[in-house]
Amino acid sequence: METKQLKWLYLAILSLIWGSSFILIKKGLIGLTAIQVGSFRIIFAALFLLIVGFNSLKKISRRQWKYVAITSLFGTFMPAYLFAIAETQVNSSIVAILNSLTPLNTLVLGIVAFGIQFQKRQVLGVFVGLLGCLLLVLSGDSAGGTQNYLYVLLVVIATLSYAINVNLIKKYLHDLNSVSITTGNFTVLLLPALIILSTTDIGQKIHFAETQHSIFFVAILGVLGTGIANILFFKLIQMSSPVFATSVTYLIPIVAFFWGLLDNEMLTPIQFFGAFIILIGVYLSAKK
């Protein structure tokens, strides 16, 4: 399959996987705390990747390990915990929509920190997207009965973290294959995640059925939604561009929204409008 066709296939697969991640986080939070969800997500992904990609670690040079460690912090460690914490107060559908800010942040950081060229239309897209985000935040999460803006801010920080990650990969790790990057990321994070998990009360409730069910959902999230998805995502970054790769967030909210409907989540008209504005902004910023 040609590269042009392959990148669109990767984009579609990633949208389905990551669009389902938000409902898996929500199910994980039923029997686990946000910190436990984030830790288990990293641990399951790390164990899976060490099994399938251990030999790929040999391809990482001493110079590249520094950037592998940095990208693991921004691309996995911070978002894993921030998204889980945010979903304790904000509906999964809203979190997925706010995740659409990632391409906008990728463009802004690319211009400011990495010197990429831009067009006026893309700058307009940034401002349109921010307007949509503001509408979404100010409308409040009426379905969940909360208007805790602090938790919405955590999602925005996570998207900034993703944006830093994709620009770093494109600039410093473009010559390293996606399996090596992903396995290296989680090799770095495995011990910190185990330490963080050990500080929680997981040992006291591991025998509860509710906890075990939640761990099962997070295991799916870790292996499929984090391990396998990151391999595909890093490959997509390398064969396209950071902005195109992060445009997967066009489709993620659609998948997440339908999962939310099945789980009795519903958006208000203002939230629908805010989501629509965000997607217009993302389109303007990513369109060539």
Side-chain angles (χ1 to χ4, degrees):
M1 187 178 292
E2 296 181 2
T3 299
K4 185 177 181 180
Q5 297 172 320
L6 194 59
K7 71 180 184 180
W8 284 104
L9 176 62
Y10 282 0
L11 194 72
I13 294 173
L14 282 170
S15 67
L16 291 173
I17 293 175
W18 277 337
S20 304
S21 294
F22 299 95
I23 195 67
L24 289 172
I25 293 173
K26 182 177 181 180
K27 296 299 182 182
L29 288 169
I30 293 174
L32 298 169
T33 67
I35 298 301
Q36 290 167 346
V37 168
S39 297
F40 271 124
R41 180 178 185 177
I42 293 171
I43 291 167
F44 282 122
L47 294 176
F48 167 76
L49 288 165
L50 284 172
I51 292 172
V52 301
F54 181 77
N55 290 333
S56 68
L57 296 176
K58 300 175 183 177
K59 299 179 181 179
I60 305 176
S61 67
R62 183 175 299 180
R63 177 191 65 83
Q64 290 173 320
W65 269 110
K66 174 178 66 176
Y67 296 109
V68 168
I70 295 173
T71 55
S72 72
L73 173 65
F74 289 107
T76 300
F77 189 78
M78 290 175 59
Y81 291 103
L82 290 174
F83 277 118
I85 295 171
E87 284 202 35
T88 62
Q89 299 292 325
V90 182
N91 273 353
S92 61
S93 300
I94 300 294
V95 173
I97 293 167
L98 289 169
N99 186 53
S100 298
L101 292 171
T102 300
L104 304 182
N105 292 330
T106 301
L107 175 66
V108 173
L109 287 172
I111 294 170
V112 174
F114 295 90
I116 68 169
Q117 296 181 346
F118 65 94
Q119 299 176 352
K120 292 181 179 179
R121 183 196 62 254
Q122 292 177 309
V123 176
L124 175 62
V126 171
F127 284 105
V128 171
L130 291 176
L131 175 61
C133 179
L134 185 63
L135 283 174
L136 200 62
V137 171
L138 293 180
S139 67
D141 184 9
S142 61
T146 180
Q147 289 185 323
N148 197 325
Y149 303 147
L150 177 61
Y151 288 84
V152 171
L153 181 61
L154 295 180
V155 182
V156 177
I157 294 172
T159 64
L160 284 168
S161 183
Y162 278 145
I164 293 171
N165 177 55
V166 293
N167 278 295
L168 286 172
I169 290 172
K170 188 65 176 180
K171 185 167 185 177
Y172 297 109
L173 297 175
H174 61 276
D175 55 345
L176 189 62
N177 70 72
S178 59
V179 177
S180 296
I181 297 172
T182 312
T183 307
N185 281 168
F186 285 92
T187 300
V188 171
L189 297 179
L190 179 57
L191 182 58
L194 286 169
I195 293 173
I196 292 173
L197 182 63
S198 69
T199 64
T200 69
D201 64 345
I202 188 63
Q204 301 172 18
K205 60 183 184 182
I206 190 69
H207 60 281
F208 294 142
E210 187 178 68
T211 301
Q212 294 171 1
H213 290 159
S214 292
I215 292 175
F216 171 74
F217 286 118
V218 179
I220 297 174
L221 176 66
V223 174
L224 184 63
T226 305
I228 294 176
N230 274 359
I231 293 175
L232 295 176
F233 184 59
F234 293 155
K235 184 67 176 176
L236 182 60
I237 294 172
Q238 292 171 328
M239 71 169 56
S240 58
S241 69
V243 173
F244 178 86
T246 54
S247 66
V248 66
T249 51
Y250 287 133
L251 305 174
I252 287 174
I254 299 173
V255 177
F257 173 69
F258 281 106
W259 278 116
L261 285 180
L262 292 175
D263 203 49
N264 298 317
E265 292 182 6
M266 190 60 194
L267 304 183
T268 66
I270 296 178
Q271 288 172 333
F272 267 117
F273 184 64
F276 180 67
I277 294 297
I278 287 176
L279 294 178
I280 290 176
V282 174
Y283 174 78
L284 289 174
S285 68
K287 182 176 181 293
K288 290 185 179 181

